[in-house]
Amino acid sequence: MSNTYLDTLFGLKGKVALITGGSRGIGKNMALALAQAGADVILVQRNDSDAVKKEIEAVGRKAYIVVAELSDRAQIASVVPQVEKMGLQIDILLNCAGIQKRHPSTEFPTEDWDAVLQVNLTTVFILCRDVGKHIISAGRKGKIINVASLLTFQGGVTVPAYAASKGGVAQLTKALSNEWVSKGVNVNAIAPGYIATDMNEALIADPTRSRQIMERIPAQRWGSPADFEGAAVFLASNASQYISGEIMLVDGGWMAR
């Protein structure tokens, strides 16, 4: 199998990816994977920290930062116009940023519900809408990748807002795919299982819950951010041209149990 064939199938040279949540964890690994595959990267961050930008540039790709607070609708709506003013054309959108709030449902604060739904679902919608229009109006093809969750399929415990937001991400992904795949924009999602990141620190620190989780994962380990690199490149590349509206589980076999 030649490198030329693999480059044609999986290579992203000449593509530009807009990424949220790329400064740490799963998002950082996926951002670096897309860069390794040849894409230039625009990082949407709440500040201008250039640590990941430098790592992307170290693999020979261009990297840019757009500063925007994901909880602020006006700032999110300004992202694509800022990119266009930079003279860049977006080919790939990766919505990875997300937040989590844990409370018993009888005591779940409305303000925490609003915060989670804003970042995890409404912001995802705004960026999908604006990037979708940006790609389609230019007559180009593109890929949108949202990040869902096991709680897209399951309810979880003490996380009603997160579960609702990730269920919404799945339905949004399917709805946009129905409209856009015929226009050349594939819309899919990746659903992580239990991954050893800071979002799951509370679960990892709970010996009983951590043991229960490990016992159910057929792979017999928590996932790592590196486990998402191949999935991101696959869904961003030509290899997935006839795949749209799908939720790809990366969960060590959890949902098959």
Side-chain angles (χ1 to χ4, degrees), residues 21 46 69 115 139 176 194:
R46 63 174 53 179
E69 172 54 59
L176 297 180
Y194 284 95

Side-chain angles (χ1 to χ4, degrees), residues 26-154:
I26 293 171
K28 177 181 175 180
N29 277 72
M30 291 197 288
L32 291 171
L34 296 184
Q36 290 277 12
D40 294 330
V41 175
I42 306 166
L43 297 164
V44 181
Q45 303 178 170
R46 63 174 53 179
N47 57 50
D48 59 1
S49 171
D50 63 355
V52 178
K53 178 178 182 288
K54 288 180 178 178
E55 289 189 55
I56 291 167
E57 291 170 339
V59 302
R61 305 314 312 164
K62 295 178 181 178
Y64 310 85
I65 294 172
V66 172
V67 176
E69 172 54 59
L70 297 184
S71 63
D72 186 311
R73 294 186 183 187
Q75 290 189 40
I76 293 306
S78 76
V79 168
V80 172
Q82 287 187 65
V83 171
E84 291 174 340
K85 286 181 180 178
M86 295 161 67
L88 298 172
Q89 172 69 47
I90 303 165
D91 303 286
I92 301 158
L93 170 63
L94 172 57
N95 279 308
C96 188
I99 63 172
Q100 174 66 289
K101 302 287 186 180
R102 296 179 183 273
H103 307 281
S105 294
T106 54
E107 302 169 16
F108 205 96
T110 304
E111 57 269 25
D112 281 359
W113 171 275
D114 289 342
V116 171
L117 268 291
Q118 173 61 50
V119 173
N120 293 7
L121 184 56
T122 303
T123 290
V124 171
F125 165 69
I126 292 171
L127 287 174
C128 284
R129 178 194 66 195
D130 294 355
V131 171
K133 182 178 181 180
H134 167 88
I135 294 171
I136 292 167
S137 64
R140 295 166 62 98
K141 293 184 177 181
K143 299 293 185 76
I144 293 177
I145 307 167
N146 297 321
V147 173
S149 168
L150 286 183
L151 298 194
T152 297
F153 309 96
Q154 300 176 332

